[in-house]
Every structure is written in C-alpha cells, then in structure tokens.
Coordinates of all heavy atoms in Angstrom, one line a residue:
T1 N 0.9 -1.2 0.0 CA 0.0 0.0 0.0 C 0.9 1.3 0.0 O 2.0 1.2 0.4 CB -0.9 0.0 1.2 OG1 -0.1 0.1 2.4 CG2 -1.9 -1.1 1.3
A2 N 0.3 2.4 -0.5 CA 1.1 3.6 -0.6 C 1.0 4.4 0.7 O 1.5 5.6 0.7 CB 0.7 4.4 -1.8
N3 N 0.3 4.0 1.7 CA 0.1 4.8 2.9 C 0.4 4.0 4.2 O -0.4 4.0 5.1 CB -1.3 5.4 3.0 CG -2.4 4.4 3.1 OD1 -2.2 3.2 2.7 ND2 -3.5 4.8 3.6
P4 N 1.5 3.3 4.2 CA 1.8 2.5 5.5 C 2.4 3.4 6.6 O 2.6 4.6 6.4 CB 2.9 1.5 5.0 CG 3.6 2.3 4.0 CD 2.6 3.1 3.3
V5 N 2.6 2.8 7.8 CA 3.4 3.4 8.8 C 4.8 2.8 8.7 O 4.9 1.6 8.8 CB 2.8 3.1 10.2 CG1 3.7 3.7 11.3 CG2 1.4 3.8 10.3
I6 N 5.8 3.7 8.4 CA 7.2 3.2 8.3 C 8.0 3.7 9.5 O 8.0 4.9 9.7 CB 7.8 3.6 6.9 CG1 7.1 2.9 5.8 CG2 9.3 3.3 6.9 CD1 7.6 3.3 4.4
M7 N 8.5 2.7 10.2 CA 9.3 3.1 11.4 C 10.8 3.0 11.0 O 11.3 2.0 10.6 CB 9.0 2.1 12.5 CG 9.9 2.4 13.7 SD 9.2 1.8 15.3 CE 8.2 3.1 15.8
L8 N 11.5 4.2 11.2 CA 13.0 4.3 11.0 C 13.6 4.2 12.4 O 13.8 5.2 13.1 CB 13.3 5.6 10.3 CG 12.5 5.9 9.1 CD1 12.7 7.3 8.6 CD2 12.8 4.9 7.9
D9 N 14.0 3.0 12.8 CA 14.6 2.8 14.1 C 16.0 3.3 14.2 O 16.8 3.2 13.2 CB 14.6 1.3 14.4 CG 13.7 1.0 15.6 OD1 13.4 1.9 16.3 OD2 13.4 -0.2 15.9
E10 N 16.4 3.8 15.3 CA 17.8 4.2 15.6 C 18.3 5.2 14.6 O 19.4 5.1 14.0 CB 18.7 3.0 15.6 CG 18.3 1.7 16.3 CD 18.1 1.9 17.8 OE1 18.4 3.0 18.3 OE2 17.7 0.9 18.5
I11 N 17.5 6.3 14.4 CA 17.9 7.3 13.5 C 19.1 8.1 14.0 O 19.8 8.8 13.2 CB 16.7 8.3 13.2 CG1 17.0 9.0 11.8 CG2 16.4 9.2 14.3 CD1 15.8 9.7 11.3
D12 N 19.4 8.0 15.3 CA 20.6 8.7 15.9 C 21.9 7.9 15.7 O 22.9 8.4 16.1 CB 20.3 9.0 17.4 CG 20.1 7.7 18.1 OD1 19.5 6.8 17.6 OD2 20.4 7.7 19.4
K13 N 21.8 6.7 15.1 CA 23.0 5.9 15.0 C 23.4 5.7 13.5 O 24.1 4.7 13.1 CB 22.8 4.5 15.6 CG 22.6 4.7 17.1 CD 22.2 3.4 17.8 CE 21.9 3.6 19.3 NZ 20.7 4.4 19.5
L14 N 23.0 6.7 12.6 CA 23.5 6.6 11.2 C 25.0 6.9 11.2 O 25.5 7.7 11.9 CB 22.8 7.7 10.4 CG 21.3 7.4 10.0 CD1 20.6 8.6 9.5 CD2 21.3 6.3 8.9
A15 N 25.7 6.2 10.2 CA 27.1 6.4 10.1 C 27.4 7.2 8.8 O 26.6 7.3 8.0 CB 27.8 5.1 10.1
V16 N 28.6 7.8 8.7 CA 29.1 8.5 7.6 C 30.3 7.8 7.0 O 31.2 7.4 7.8 CB 29.3 10.0 7.8 CG1 29.8 10.7 6.6 CG2 28.1 10.7 8.4
S17 N 30.4 7.5 5.7 CA 31.6 6.9 5.2 C 31.9 7.5 3.8 O 31.2 8.4 3.3 CB 31.4 5.4 5.0 OG 30.5 5.1 3.9
F18 N 32.9 7.0 3.1 CA 33.3 7.4 1.8 C 32.1 7.1 0.8 O 32.1 7.7 -0.3 CB 34.6 6.8 1.3 CG 34.5 5.3 1.1 CD1 34.1 4.8 -0.2 CD2 34.6 4.4 2.1 CE1 34.0 3.4 -0.4 CE2 34.5 3.1 1.9 CZ 34.2 2.5 0.7
Q19 N 31.2 6.2 1.1 CA 30.1 5.9 0.2 C 29.0 6.9 0.3 O 28.0 6.8 -0.4 CB 29.6 4.4 0.6 CG 30.5 3.4 0.3 CD 30.2 2.1 1.0 OE1 30.0 2.0 2.2 NE2 30.2 1.0 0.2
G20 N 29.0 7.8 1.2 CA 28.0 8.9 1.2 C 27.5 9.0 2.6 O 27.8 8.3 3.6
D21 N 26.5 10.0 2.8 CA 25.9 10.3 4.0 C 24.4 10.0 4.0 O 23.7 10.7 3.3 CB 26.2 11.8 4.3 CG 25.6 12.2 5.7 OD1 25.1 11.3 6.4 OD2 25.7 13.4 6.0
P22 N 24.0 8.8 4.6 CA 22.6 8.5 4.5 C 21.7 9.5 5.2 O 20.5 9.7 4.8 CB 22.5 7.1 5.2 CG 23.8 6.8 5.8 CD 24.8 7.8 5.3
A23 N 22.2 10.3 6.2 CA 21.4 11.3 6.9 C 21.0 12.3 5.9 O 19.9 12.8 5.9 CB 22.2 11.8 8.1
A24 N 21.9 12.7 5.0 CA 21.6 13.7 4.0 C 20.6 13.1 3.0 O 19.8 13.9 2.5 CB 22.9 14.1 3.2
A25 N 20.7 11.9 2.7 CA 19.7 11.2 1.7 C 18.3 11.2 2.3 O 17.3 11.3 1.6 CB 20.2 9.8 1.4
L26 N 18.2 11.1 3.7 CA 16.9 11.1 4.4 C 16.2 12.4 4.4 O 15.0 12.5 4.6 CB 17.1 10.7 5.8 CG 17.2 9.1 6.1 CD1 17.6 8.9 7.5 CD2 15.8 8.5 5.7
L27 N 17.0 13.5 4.1 CA 16.4 14.9 4.1 C 15.2 15.0 3.1 O 14.2 15.6 3.4 CB 17.4 15.9 3.7 CG 18.5 16.1 4.8 CD1 19.6 17.1 4.2 CD2 18.0 16.6 6.1
E28 N 15.4 14.3 1.9 CA 14.3 14.4 1.0 C 13.1 13.5 1.4 O 11.9 13.9 1.2 CB 14.8 13.9 -0.4 CG 13.7 14.0 -1.5 CD 14.1 13.4 -2.8 OE1 15.3 12.9 -2.9 OE2 13.3 13.4 -3.7
V29 N 13.4 12.3 2.0 CA 12.4 11.4 2.4 C 11.5 12.0 3.5 O 10.3 11.9 3.5 CB 13.0 10.1 2.9 CG1 12.0 9.1 3.4 CG2 13.8 9.4 1.8
L30 N 12.1 12.6 4.5 CA 11.4 13.2 5.6 C 11.1 14.6 5.6 O 11.1 15.4 6.5 CB 12.3 12.9 6.9 CG 12.7 11.5 7.2 CD1 13.5 11.3 8.5 CD2 11.5 10.6 7.3
D31 N 10.7 15.0 4.4 CA 10.2 16.4 4.2 C 8.9 16.4 3.5 O 8.9 16.1 2.2 CB 11.3 17.2 3.4 CG 10.9 18.7 3.4 OD1 9.8 19.1 3.6 OD2 11.9 19.5 3.2
P32 N 7.8 16.8 4.1 CA 6.5 16.7 3.5 C 6.4 17.5 2.2 O 5.6 17.3 1.3 CB 5.5 17.2 4.5 CG 6.2 17.0 5.8 CD 7.7 17.2 5.5
E33 N 7.3 18.6 2.1 CA 7.2 19.4 0.9 C 8.0 18.7 -0.3 O 7.7 19.0 -1.5 CB 7.9 20.8 1.2 CG 7.2 21.6 2.2 CD 5.8 21.9 1.8 OE1 5.5 22.3 0.7 OE2 4.9 21.9 2.7
Q34 N 9.0 17.9 0.0 CA 9.8 17.3 -1.0 C 9.4 15.9 -1.4 O 9.5 15.4 -2.6 CB 11.3 17.3 -0.6 CG 11.9 18.6 -0.5 CD 13.4 18.5 -0.1 OE1 14.1 17.7 -0.6 NE2 13.8 19.4 0.8
N35 N 8.9 15.1 -0.4 CA 8.7 13.7 -0.7 C 7.5 13.3 -1.5 O 7.2 12.2 -1.8 CB 8.7 12.8 0.6 CG 7.5 13.1 1.6 OD1 6.5 13.8 1.2 ND2 7.6 12.7 2.8
V36 N 6.7 14.4 -1.9 CA 5.7 14.1 -2.9 C 6.3 13.6 -4.2 O 5.6 12.8 -4.9 CB 4.9 15.5 -3.2 CG1 3.7 15.3 -4.2 CG2 4.3 16.0 -1.9
D37 N 7.5 14.1 -4.6 CA 8.1 13.7 -5.8 C 9.5 13.0 -5.5 O 10.5 13.3 -6.0 CB 8.4 14.9 -6.7 CG 7.1 15.5 -7.2 OD1 6.2 14.7 -7.5 OD2 7.1 16.7 -7.3
F38 N 9.4 12.0 -4.6 CA 10.6 11.2 -4.2 C 11.2 10.5 -5.4 O 10.4 9.8 -6.1 CB 10.3 10.3 -3.1 CG 11.5 9.4 -2.7 CD1 12.6 9.9 -2.1 CD2 11.5 8.0 -3.0 CE1 13.7 9.1 -1.8 CE2 12.6 7.2 -2.7 CZ 13.7 7.8 -2.1
L39 N 12.5 10.7 -5.7 CA 13.1 10.1 -6.8 C 14.1 9.1 -6.4 O 15.2 9.4 -5.9 CB 13.7 11.1 -7.8 CG 14.2 10.6 -9.1 CD1 13.1 10.2 -10.0 CD2 15.1 11.7 -9.8
D40 N 13.8 7.8 -6.6 CA 14.8 6.7 -6.3 C 15.7 6.5 -7.5 O 15.2 6.5 -8.7 CB 14.0 5.4 -6.0 CG 14.9 4.3 -5.6 OD1 15.4 3.6 -6.5 OD2 15.1 4.1 -4.4
H41 N 17.0 6.3 -7.3 CA 17.9 6.2 -8.4 C 17.7 5.0 -9.3 O 17.9 5.1 -10.5 CB 19.4 6.1 -7.8 CG 19.9 7.4 -7.2 ND1 20.8 7.4 -6.2 CD2 19.5 8.7 -7.4 CE1 21.1 8.7 -5.9 NE2 20.3 9.5 -6.6
Y42 N 17.2 3.9 -8.7 CA 17.0 2.7 -9.5 C 15.7 2.9 -10.3 O 15.7 2.6 -11.5 CB 16.8 1.5 -8.5 CG 16.5 0.2 -9.3 CD1 17.6 -0.5 -9.8 CD2 15.2 -0.2 -9.5 CE1 17.3 -1.7 -10.5 CE2 15.0 -1.4 -10.2 CZ 16.0 -2.2 -10.7 OH 15.8 -3.3 -11.4
L43 N 14.6 3.3 -9.7 CA 13.3 3.5 -10.4 C 13.4 4.6 -11.5 O 12.9 4.5 -12.6 CB 12.2 3.8 -9.5 CG 11.7 2.7 -8.5 CD1 10.5 3.2 -7.8 CD2 11.3 1.4 -9.3
D44 N 14.1 5.7 -11.1 CA 14.2 6.9 -12.0 C 12.8 7.4 -12.4 O 12.7 8.0 -13.4 CB 15.0 6.5 -13.2 CG 15.8 7.7 -13.7 OD1 16.0 8.7 -12.9 OD2 16.2 7.7 -14.9
V45 N 11.8 7.1 -11.5 CA 10.5 7.6 -11.7 C 10.0 8.1 -10.4 O 10.2 7.5 -9.3 CB 9.5 6.5 -12.2 CG1 8.1 7.0 -12.3 CG2 10.0 5.9 -13.5

C-alpha cells in the first residue's frame, strides 16, 4: 500500500563513510514538501 506506517529505528546511529551520508539522503524522504516527488535512483520515476 502507498500509505503505510514506516518506522525508521535508531535514526541517531546513522554512520558516515566514503560511500556517502545516509542522513543527507533522508532529508528528501522526511520532508512533506519534497517527498511528494521522491526520486529513487533505481526506479528513476
């Protein structure tokens, strides 16, 4: 379904490495103004 409850556990324990910063990637997901048009790199839709 497109309206579930998604729990992001342990958000204070995100790590940063040479592969990127997941906390920065979450900025789009957790913003009601931006996540209307969330763009996943794989889907590209």
Side-chain angles (χ1 to χ4, degrees):
T1 61
N3 64 339
V5 174
I6 293 182
M7 176 158 271
L8 310 170
D9 241 346
E10 317 292 359
I11 200 166
D12 57 329
K13 295 174 185 66
L14 281 165
V16 179
S17 77
F18 67 93
Q19 289 163 310
D21 182 3
L26 276 171
L27 293 176
E28 183 186 0
V29 176
L30 301 181
D31 189 339
E33 297 300 319
Q34 293 180 40
N35 66 12
V36 178
D37 294 323
F38 174 69
L39 189 66
D40 184 275
H41 290 153
Y42 180 85
L43 288 187
D44 211 20
V45 175

